[in-house]
Amino acid sequence: MQQLPFVSIGLVFIALAAFQSITEAQKQENKNVFNTSSCLEKPYRCPHPRIKFYLYTRRTQHTPELIDVLDPESLYYTHWNPSHPVKIVIHGFGGGRNLSPSPDMRKAYFTRGNYNIIIVDYGSAVTEPCLNQIEWAPRFGSLCVSQLVKYIANHPRGVPPDDMHLIGYSVGAHIAGLVANYLTPAEGKLGRITGLDPTIFFYAGSNNSRDLDPSDAHFVDIIHTGAGILGQWSPGGHADFYVNGGTSQPGCASSTIFQTLACDHTKVTPYFIESINSERGFWAGPCPTLISYLLGWCEPKDSEYVLMGEHLSRQARGVFYVTTNAKPPYARGFPGKNRRTAKTSEYAGVRRK
């Protein structure tokens, strides 16, 4: 019994040592969270080696050409054709030029015709979160993309920003919008920005200098599929589309809530990709409220319907709703006159008057 105090003291020292070890391990873990392989290295200037621009054309679908914005001759050495439409695609977190949706989007466009498709590949910088850079990294990325835009605009074989279409997914949508902050009126204004479910994280919608908004291009269209969860809820473009209500997508139910929410967020990309060559089309109609849409009370006139996606008219203004199939082909076409009401029809929501 006389040894118990010494045993107790020994246990205290062991506990303190263990606590110290846990504390040090926790500190190291926290340090690793803020310093990961995704953190951009100094110097922070554009062009940056972790942000690359790959040009794809119909002739170079499998052999992309790297554009060097510091080399005036770089564009001459590629298959760039100024007479073809320009698409600049900016992926989101965990993306890359060879990761979905970039390959599928390129294939869809080249199936349709000739394009200059530039993939902004910053995949090595978003494989995991670098929390101490998350505040300014999107702005830095957009600065580098603006350098690309200016390079093309000022090149003898280039085109003005007005003829460029930027397509951004998740955080890439906001990066596309932030490019506008680095273009002066004399340099021109981006022709179109398509935001594919812009992320809600780090962008609360109260600061238009950070969010994608109508002032960022001549025409801004946004497609919402995970609104209010992983994507932004509020409208942010000239035309906003809430697919299947904008939050939950058919066919996304999973065994875990994370997989379900991730599916809702990423489902926006196959919708847009299908719209490029769809014969049916994603016809969307205006509706006063989400509740009215869900109850099937919306009865737009024929002239009020617009095509969501690639072939959207730049005259479209307002908020639109569209219903899709759970599996490809997702598009349902123009709502027919003789379809039944939302309570009994497979076509819920907007219906033709």
Side-chain angles (χ1 to χ4, degrees):
M1 297 294 294
Q2 296 296 325
Q3 294 180 348
L4 284 178
F6 294 98
V7 173
S8 299
I9 293 173
L11 291 175
V12 169
F13 277 110
I14 292 173
L16 288 174
F19 177 77
Q20 180 69 20
S21 176
I22 293 174
T23 302
E24 292 300 324
Q26 185 65 47
K27 287 181 179 179
Q28 184 61 39
E29 183 178 344
N30 291 340
K31 183 178 180 181
N32 290 339
V33 168
F34 282 84
N35 296 278
T36 72
S37 61
S38 288
C39 294
L40 295 172
E41 305 89 354
K42 295 180 180 180
Y44 303 130
R45 61 169 176 256
C46 300
H48 194 278
R50 302 276 287 277
I51 304 175
K52 299 182 181 297
F53 309 120
Y54 289 92
L55 171 66
Y56 292 81
T57 65
R58 215 173 189 183
R59 294 179 58 186
T60 63
Q61 295 184 47
H62 306 293
T63 54
E65 299 160 317
L66 193 63
I67 297 178
D68 181 358
V69 295
L70 294 182
D71 181 5
E73 303 294 317
S74 179
L75 207 59
Y76 287 122
Y77 300 140
T78 70
H79 287 78
W80 166 275
N81 189 326
S83 66
H84 296 161
V86 179
K87 308 288 182 179
I88 299 178
V89 182
I90 309 173
H91 61 74
F93 180 82
R97 66 186 177 93
N98 292 321
L99 299 175
S100 181
S102 298
D104 294 335
M105 189 175 295
R106 296 196 301 266
K107 181 179 179 180
Y109 274 121
F110 292 134
T111 297
R112 184 168 187 82
N114 287 300
Y115 292 87
N116 299 300
I117 299 180
I118 300 175
I119 303 296
V120 179
D121 190 350
Y122 62 109
S124 65
V126 288
T127 56
E128 54 191 354
C130 179
L131 299 184
N132 64 337
Q133 294 183 353
I134 202 69
E135 167 66 22
W136 60 266
R139 294 198 300 273
F140 178 71
S142 64
L143 175 62
C144 293
V145 176
S146 72
Q147 190 177 40
L148 168 71
V149 170
K150 294 178 182 181
Y151 173 82
I152 295 174
N154 295 325
H155 197 278
R157 299 192 70 243
V159 298
D162 308 71
D163 293 337
M164 300 180 193
H165 180 191
L166 274 62
I167 305 168
Y169 163 62
S170 191
V171 69
H174 293 298
I175 292 176
L178 288 167
V179 170
N181 293 350
Y182 301 102
L183 298 177
T184 66
E187 291 171 326
K189 192 170 187 176
L190 294 171
R192 178 184 177 186
I193 296 176
T194 297
L196 303 179
D197 209 37
T199 181
I200 195 172
F201 293 113
F202 316 111
Y203 296 90
S206 60
N207 186 348
N208 284 352
S209 67
R210 294 181 57 191
D211 286 8
L212 175 61
D213 69 83
S215 69
D216 293 330
H218 290 297
F219 184 67
V220 176
D221 58 303
I222 300 177
I223 303 176
H224 303 267
T225 58
I229 310 296
L230 296 180
Q232 283 189 319
W233 176 257
S234 300
H238 294 99
D240 284 74
F241 296 85
Y242 290 83
V243 186
N244 300 304
T247 299
S248 178
Q249 301 307 309
C252 277
S254 179
S255 57
T256 68
I257 185 64
F258 177 79
Q259 290 178 334
T260 299
L261 297 179
C263 176
D264 292 333
H265 186 48
T266 59
K267 202 69 172 285
V268 67
T269 55
Y271 292 157
F272 180 81
I273 291 170
E274 184 179 313
S275 77
I276 297 171
N277 295 300
S278 176
E279 294 183 0
R280 296 181 178 181
F282 293 88
W283 289 95
C287 200
T289 65
L290 173 61
I291 296 299
S292 297
Y293 162 78
L294 294 175
L295 293 176
W297 291 350
C298 301
E299 297 186 350
K301 298 177 181 178
D302 287 0
S303 59
E304 293 179 316
Y305 282 93
V306 297
L307 268 177
M308 180 189 79
E310 170 65 17
H311 306 293
L312 171 64
S313 167
R314 296 196 181 189
Q315 304 303 314
R317 294 293 185 275
V319 173
F320 301 86
Y321 294 88
V322 60
T323 304
T324 71
N325 295 319
K327 298 179 180 180
Y330 297 109
R332 292 188 171 187
F334 201 98
K337 284 184 177 180
N338 298 322
R339 288 188 183 271
R340 292 167 291 174
T341 62
K343 291 182 179 180
T344 57
S345 172
E346 65 172 359
Y347 190 90
V350 178
R351 52 192 174 88
R352 188 179 180 186
K353 188 173 181 179

